[in-house]
Amino acid sequence: MRKKIVAGNWKMNNDLQEGLQLTSEIVHMVKDEVNDEVTVILATPFVHLSGVSRLLDGATNIFLGAQNCNEHVSGAYTGEVSAAMLKSVQAEYVILGHSERREYFNETNELLTKKVNTALAHGLKPIFCCGESLEIRENDTHFDFVCQQLTESLFHLNEEEITGIVIAYEPIWAIGTGKTATAGQAQEMHEVLRNHLAGKFGREIAEGLSILYGGSAKPANAGELFAGKDVDGGLIGGASLKSRDFVDIVKSFQ
Ligand code: PEP
């Protein structure tokens, strides 16, 4: 059975105190209201990781994630954070290839190949983001475009390595815009991606990979979005900053 995952991407929000407060609220709500069927991930800013990690100690189904890591193992890369550093604060996941990083920090499929390799080599599970712009969707080339993102950044992996990856399909036109993909659009793309992965890694492996949807998901639409047979959860931006909304999204799986 595939893992059901809801991951919160805090982006560059919350100072440390606010982040710890948010974490405490989520830990309590998840403990009281959520069963162990769903894996919850908090992808915090780097500064928060170590403090949040301590608050997650003892929580059975909430895991720590980062939002990026450098492709190099270590060295003279001022301002950067390595995969080994993330591991040392008990991060288990790292978001790679978010569209904001692709757009504002020029992250290419080629660079992401290196980041994926470094993360996996250090025992981190990449949450690999992919997704098309509105222009690409309107040109009707979105399936090819998103498949290509997977091909160029993930298809060098072997069968064992690919099972360490979580995919997040995030149409750029739906991120932070309040404009959500319809449940049909999400399911349709997820199915295309799973078939694409099956073509490379085999049906059994592809059926075991979790593919999350991201883009203006909120408590009111999460249940419908997650109902798609190939939609295994969500990567949540804005709504992950409010404990009640985030946990309600998690609960839409129950
Ligand atoms: C995201 O940035 O990963 C995201 C899905 O953001 P939002 O939920 O705010 O659209």
Side-chain angles (χ1 to χ4, degrees), residues 15 24 39 52 58 61 69 73 86 102 138 142 192 204 210 239:
D15 65 21
S24 295
T39 295
V52 170
N61 56 339
C69 73
V73 171
L86 299 182
R102 291 177 187 263
E138 284 174 350
H142 46 295
V192 166
E204 201 181 325
S210 296

Side-chain angles (χ1 to χ4, degrees), residues 9 11 95 98-100 129 170 174-178 213-217 235-240:
N9 173 14
K11 310 193 185 190
I95 297 174
H98 192 281
S99 60
E100 287 151 16
C129 299
E170 300 206 302
I175 295 180
T177 58
Y213 167 80
S216 298
L235 180 53
I236 316 298
S240 74

Side-chain angles (χ1 to χ4, degrees), residues 29-116:
M29 288 180 189
V30 168
K31 186 162 169 270
D32 291 345
E33 304 171 32
V34 177
N35 63 34
D36 275 356
E37 240 183 88
V38 190
T39 295
V40 177
I41 301 168
L42 303 182
T44 80
F46 292 134
V47 167
H48 300 55
L49 287 170
S50 150
V52 170
S53 172
R54 265 176 250 132
L55 293 180
L56 297 186
D57 202 22
T60 51
N61 56 339
I62 314 182
F63 299 89
L64 186 62
Q67 299 170 20
N68 179 33
C69 73
N70 191 269
E71 66 276 21
H72 298 286
V73 171
S74 65
Y77 301 101
T78 303
E80 288 297 286
V81 171
S82 73
M85 291 172 193
L86 299 182
K87 262 320 249 194
S88 75
V89 291
Q90 283 77 51
E92 302 226 9
Y93 293 85
V94 59
I95 297 174
L96 293 178
H98 192 281
S99 60
E100 287 151 16
R101 294 216 55 92
R102 291 177 187 263
E103 182 178 352
Y104 307 137
F105 303 96
N106 303 318
E107 294 198 356
T108 59
N109 291 340
E110 193 187 348
L111 173 70
L112 291 167
T113 304
K114 296 180 188 154
K115 291 195 176 203
V116 165

Side-chain angles (χ1 to χ4, degrees), residues 126-187:
I127 300 173
F128 181 82
C129 299
C130 54
E132 81 286 356
S133 64
L134 188 58
E135 193 187 353
I136 290 171
R137 180 160 280 263
E138 284 174 350
N139 286 340
D140 210 20
T141 51
H142 46 295
F143 295 126
D144 286 348
F145 180 85
V146 182
C147 286
Q148 176 101 355
Q149 289 181 317
L150 299 195
T151 304
E152 291 187 10
S153 296
L154 301 179
F155 276 24
H156 64 289
L157 299 176
N158 65 32
E159 290 179 1
E160 194 192 328
E161 289 165 335
I162 193 73
T163 59
I165 306 274
V166 175
I167 313 270
Y169 168 58
E170 300 206 302
I172 298 169
W173 45 271
I175 295 180
T177 58
K179 197 173 175 203
T180 319
T182 63
Q185 285 171 322
Q187 166 55 29

